[in-house]
Amino acid sequence: MDLTKVRNERKLEICRLYARAGWAFLPLLWAVNFVWFYKAAFTADPYPEQKEIKRYVLLSGVGALLWIIALTIWIVLYQTHRIEWGDWGESISFIIPTGSP
Amino acid sequence: MNMGFSQIVSYFLLVLLLYSCNGESQRLRYQMYEDIEGAYACFRRLNGTHQFGCSSSRSGNVGVVHIIENQADSDWLVSNGLAGPYVAVVHPSMFTRSLLLTLQSSGKVNGVVMINNSSAEKPLHFSHEDTCPNRYSGLSQLYGQTCSVGEKSGWNPHGTSVLLMDWKFPIFYVTDKSHIDHLYKCYQKHNAVAHPGEQLERALCALELKSHMYAAVNSKKCMKRNNYQTLFSQVNSCDPLGGRNVWQTLFPRSTHQLGNGLDQRSSKQTEANGSIAVLAARMDSTSMFDGLVPASIGAVSGIVTLISTAQLLFRMIPQQENYDKNVLFLLLAGESYDYIGSSRIVFDMKQGTFPVKPDPSVAQPPPIGLQHIGPFIELSQLKKPADGQPLYVHRLEDSSEVKNFIKILQRNGNGLGVPISDKLPASRNLPPASLQTFLAERPDIPGLVLTEHAAQYSNNYYHSVFDDTASLNYIYANKSEVPNDSIQAYLANVSTTIAHSLYEHVTNKEYLGSLTADKNLMDELLHCYLEQNNCSLFQSAVAGSSEGEEKPLSYYVGVSHVYSLVSILTGAAMALLTGSPTKFNETDCHNNASTDQVYQYIWVSSQWNNSSSPKVCLQTTMNFSSAVSPAFIIDGYDMASGKYSTWTESVWPELTARMFLKPPFYQEVITLVLGIVVLGLSFAGVFYINGRKEILFSPGASTEDERAPLIRTNDQVFC
């Protein structure tokens, strides 16, 4: 969808929907929302809905960032310590590598 | 130069088109790779604490072929090789522990292939087993490690323990002559160079070895992983080793009289302690490679001698006679891996569930306990000794019972040209044998092990791919006269000796009849076990069902949920040669486990040497018992405790080897760079076209029908 061709009220609706849906453990949705509406929120000529869109875009951006940080820490921890964790490490694994510890 | 670009392209396309239309053309894959069929692979086994054997990476290990025929070749590879990683191709004589370790530590080797065409000479010795096979089990449970033979280091003097190491690369064994020739030709044409640097500029002959193993670390871990099956990983990573033991008693044993004329022999209900003599042999062996475990001396000599002894004993003792003593024939599976079969029998005996779980409502053999075992005679590694040399009896016990039995054996053996020498009990030192498992639980069992070695093994190929027909000096007589100096005649005499001695033990009187073991039966048995497992005896025993192929059997025990051909055929052969004929026809010839667990009924040919002879229903006491280690039966067993065998075998998706020409490094770089350049160009092209789409694509389109096709006719395309 080309955002430049969408009415401002519709923009706000979509942005709000994405920001709210992101709470359902969907960080990627937040990330998309942030990138997609960044221009509409910060660089476009002012329009009435912009303030609210700005708020949702910021929320999505910060949320996505927090997720990225948390996931990175977890992935590094898991990848480096899974073998040490032994049985517990295996029990939380979805795919266990074949042929290695 | 005078060809235009479009002409070149169309020429190229034409060639491609012709090539793909050519009826004889093959898939590109077949033109690039030569599959090495019939290659045997080393795989991974695990016990409670470690992993052993080999594994490749998930997608296979690739290496440039380097043939190692002597030390210089190996040195060249380790110090000069530049085009690595390599796959070292070695002859059996070079396939040593030290070479493998050197290759592994060099870091330049991605795999090893052992090649051997049958015309090549066998190395003088080749055994990858430990110097003390089953070092940590058997009597070691009772006395700590006991393996030392006099001043020497162990029973298996040439043992290198290569089987008991964890190799970082795949190892394959290739025996097919044409593949070996291709490998040599390819190597000499492409890889043989004067200076190591030259290899960098050439296309090189390479091998890809795929033997990825799913299991890792140890049996405990992989058995646990078998239980963590999620949506995305539903394959087992390992399976316990094991199979089935074959057992049979000379006299039927039953809790109830069956009556109805079903008892062909009078059955026994109660037994005194020490009244069941055991004649045992192991049924399995091992080697480094999947599907190639010949075990001529290691297992076959014992199996055939036991079967022939059983057949003779059944002929010697008339059907209606009855005695207080009995004989239990045991053929054990999985003994190469810390005595799986015997340890399960001992475990079951202690539980009171050997041979079957007691059930008062059914006629079944009453439980046999360790206390019932009278003399225990184990046949282990028999072959024809040098002229005048004896067989040896090894024992720990010095009781009068043992000594008496040995005297009987010696007397009977002397008359048959089988001198038997009694090795006086050395301190807690018995060769590796199933008897050890029994002794560890009940040390006063009057047990003896009959072998052809006085101290260390004379079999230089113990647990290897070379323990084959040649090491027994066997030549098939095929129904003609069996020479008296042959291995068949010798093993038949050993059978006669044992059968006569057991007769004397059971009946308390010397055997005065003239029956001896049939040399032709021995000849056929050896032929079946060593050369052709669809021989007429096995065909008779399985009544023409499709078991067996025209090749030697492989004696590896395998995983417990697959019944190995060796135990199926051995059980059938025992039943065929010792069973009593009944009047049942084919439809009535089946077991009724709900009422009668004493007998099995099998439909077989009436003559063992003629599989097309009329069929008959035999009644037999032959049966199978589970040979799965108690470690996998006991709930919450501590896999690291070392009490029972914990061996498992990894699961693998495929074992394949293929040969191909690997382009030189610079060509690989050019291909990659070219690919990246093309990718970049196409991105640039799309970007360029996208930016000018209004100019390039039908300028008036937006004012006319948007859905109108851009190309209407051929004319418009070219106009």
Side-chain angles (χ1 to χ4, degrees), chain B residues 436-678:
Chain B
Q436 290 206 7
T437 325
F438 289 82
L439 287 177
E441 211 53 58
R442 194 195 133 198
D444 62 337
I445 290 177
L448 48 93
V449 181
L450 194 62
T451 70
E452 54 80 46
H453 57 91
Q456 296 183 306
Y457 294 168
S458 59
N459 177 10
N460 290 339
Y461 307 109
Y462 185 73
H463 281 181
S464 85
V465 293
F466 292 123
D467 189 3
D468 54 16
T469 316
S471 53
L472 269 182
N473 279 329
Y474 168 70
I475 299 156
Y476 184 37
N478 198 4
K479 294 183 176 126
S480 59
E481 182 66 24
V482 175
N484 278 331
D485 59 348
S486 62
I487 177 74
Q488 296 93 303
Y490 182 77
L491 290 181
N493 286 341
V494 174
S495 291
T496 310
T497 306
I498 300 165
H500 287 188
S501 308
L502 282 171
Y503 178 90
E504 207 166 323
H505 170 77
V506 169
T507 62
N508 285 322
K509 57 185 186 221
E510 213 171 306
Y511 180 66
L512 299 170
S514 59
L515 288 175
T516 55
D518 184 347
K519 282 188 283 186
N520 283 96
L521 171 64
M522 186 58 86
D523 184 50
E524 181 70 13
L525 279 170
L526 283 167
H527 173 61
C528 294
Y529 278 100
L530 294 175
E531 295 178 338
Q532 208 173 319
N533 67 36
N534 62 357
C535 63
S536 73
L537 188 141
F538 283 163
Q539 289 294 319
S540 304
V542 295
S545 69
S546 62
E547 304 284 358
E549 304 162 62
E550 197 166 327
K551 62 172 195 182
L553 285 166
S554 181
Y555 292 87
Y556 176 59
V557 58
V559 295
S560 58
H561 60 84
V562 179
Y563 294 149
S564 84
L565 202 53
V566 177
S567 66
I568 293 171
L569 293 174
T570 303
M574 277 292 270
L576 171 73
L577 294 171
T578 61
S580 326
T582 63
K583 54 187 186 310
F584 294 132
N585 59 22
E586 189 170 6
T587 45
D588 295 329
C589 191
H590 55 79
N591 305 328
N592 296 309
S594 54
T595 56
D596 170 15
Q597 294 177 355
V598 177
Y599 298 109
Q600 305 274 312
Y601 296 89
I602 59 162
W603 187 248
V604 298
S605 303
S606 53
Q607 292 166 338
W608 61 260
N609 48 9
N610 181 5
S611 55
S612 51
S613 55
K615 302 278 188 288
V616 66
C617 183
L618 290 187
Q619 182 193 55
T620 172
T621 54
M622 186 287 298
N623 210 332
F624 298 97
S625 80
S626 169
V628 177
S629 169
F632 301 104
I633 307 293
I634 301 168
D635 254 350
Y637 175 77
D638 176 11
M639 290 278 195
S641 72
K643 178 146 175 57
Y644 293 112
S645 167
T646 49
W647 285 94
T648 55
E649 174 189 299
S650 173
V651 172
W652 60 78
E654 59 177 333
L655 301 173
T656 55
R658 52 189 190 170
M659 187 164 67
F660 65 102
L661 262 189
K662 182 173 175 280
F665 182 68
Y666 75 86
Q667 194 183 325
E668 290 179 324
V669 172
I670 290 174
T671 311
L672 178 71
V673 170
L674 213 65
I676 295 171
V677 168
V678 170

Side-chain angles (χ1 to χ4, degrees), chain B residues 140-153:
Chain B
S140 306
Q141 296 287 328
L142 199 63
Y143 301 132
Q145 275 191 50
T146 56
C147 179
S148 64
V149 187
E151 303 292 305
K152 309 267 179 55
S153 56

Side-chain angles (χ1 to χ4, degrees), chain A residues 82-83 86-88 90-91 93-101, chain B residues 44 58 212-217 221 224-225 228 230-233:
Chain A
R82 182 183 59 83
I83 297 165
D87 288 347
W88 185 73
E90 305 243 305
S91 64
S93 300
F94 210 49
I95 295 170
I96 293 171
T98 56
S100 51
Chain B
R44 182 174 282 170
R58 205 157 297 151
H212 180 59
M213 297 292 145
Y214 284 168
V217 189
K221 183 132 193 157
K224 212 156 217 165
R225 279 185 183 178
Y228 289 141
T230 62
L231 190 63
F232 292 96
S233 56

Side-chain angles (χ1 to χ4, degrees), chain B residues 150-426:
Chain B
E151 303 292 305
K152 309 267 179 55
S153 56
W155 292 103
N156 184 26
H158 302 297
T160 58
S161 296
V162 165
L163 260 175
L164 298 172
M165 296 173 80
D166 181 33
W167 299 102
K168 308 289 174 222
F169 41 61
I171 302 178
F172 277 68
Y173 179 40
V174 176
T175 52
D176 184 283
K177 194 170 180 314
S178 68
H179 287 310
I180 295 175
D181 287 346
H182 286 178
L183 201 62
Y184 259 90
K185 268 188 206 136
C186 185
Y187 174 76
Q188 259 134 23
K189 188 172 171 199
H190 300 282
N191 296 19
V193 287
H195 301 290
E198 287 176 38
Q199 280 199 331
L200 293 177
E201 295 147 21
R202 296 182 175 203
L204 295 170
C205 191
L207 277 167
E208 183 201 72
L209 307 175
K210 251 188 216 177
S211 62
H212 180 59
M213 297 292 145
Y214 284 168
V217 189
N218 55 38
S219 293
K220 185 182 171 189
K221 183 132 193 157
C222 78
M223 290 305 280
K224 212 156 217 165
R225 279 185 183 178
N226 289 348
N227 296 332
Y228 289 141
Q229 293 195 353
T230 62
L231 190 63
F232 292 96
S233 56
Q234 290 182 325
V235 277
N236 271 7
S237 58
C238 66
D239 299 299
L241 294 191
R244 294 188 301 175
N245 302 314
V246 174
W247 66 271
Q248 180 168 23
T249 51
L250 179 59
F251 302 109
R253 306 167 62 255
S254 175
T255 47
H256 310 314
Q257 286 292 339
L258 284 168
N260 309 334
L262 277 174
D263 296 295
Q264 302 283 324
R265 285 174 170 252
S266 39
S267 62
K268 307 166 72 68
Q269 285 169 301
T270 53
E271 280 120 344
N273 286 352
S275 66
I276 300 179
V278 177
L279 183 63
R282 58 189 272 206
M283 220 169 19
D284 76 303
S285 177
T286 188
S287 82
M288 199 157 179
F289 303 101
D290 178 50
L292 193 66
V293 186
S296 298
I297 299 176
V300 171
S301 60
I303 302 173
V304 295
T305 309
L306 189 143
I307 294 178
S308 146
T309 307
Q311 194 246 7
L312 178 56
L313 257 181
F314 272 82
R315 278 161 58 212
M316 282 161 66
I317 297 183
Q319 292 210 350
Q320 302 320 320
E321 284 182 23
N322 200 357
Y323 299 95
D324 293 335
K325 289 178 183 161
N326 204 343
V327 179
L328 172 67
F329 302 99
L330 277 183
L331 284 151
L332 301 157
E335 298 299 286
S336 313
Y337 289 95
D338 292 328
Y339 309 118
I340 296 172
S342 54
S343 65
R344 178 59 185 274
I345 287 184
V346 170
F347 177 79
D348 285 348
M349 281 183 169
K350 280 166 63 194
Q351 306 271 316
T353 56
F354 181 81
V356 285
K357 217 173 185 176
D359 178 354
S361 63
V362 186
Q364 56 177 194
I368 300 175
L370 285 165
Q371 75 279 5
H372 290 129
I373 296 176
F376 187 114
I377 303 114
E378 176 161 354
L379 309 173
S380 168
Q381 301 207 56
L382 300 173
K383 71 172 187 190
K384 195 173 185 316
D387 275 342
Q389 292 300 305
L391 286 182
Y392 295 90
V393 166
H394 298 257
R395 61 191 167 105
L396 284 191
E397 257 280 294
D398 205 20
S399 65
S400 56
E401 196 180 352
V402 167
K403 284 195 272 195
N404 277 340
F405 192 80
I406 293 172
K407 274 198 194 111
I408 299 175
L409 271 178
Q410 285 175 323
R411 175 161 40 77
N412 285 318
N414 282 338
L416 291 157
V418 183
I420 291 169
S421 167
D422 182 17
K423 291 283 290 174
L424 291 175

Side-chain angles (χ1 to χ4, degrees), chain B residues 73-100:
Chain B
D73 294 332
S74 144
D75 293 342
W76 188 95
L77 172 55
V78 171
S79 44
N80 298 338
L82 289 173
Y86 287 91
V87 164
V89 175
V90 293
H91 283 274
S93 55
M94 284 300 288
F95 190 84
T96 59
R97 177 192 170 101
S98 62
L99 178 79
L100 289 175

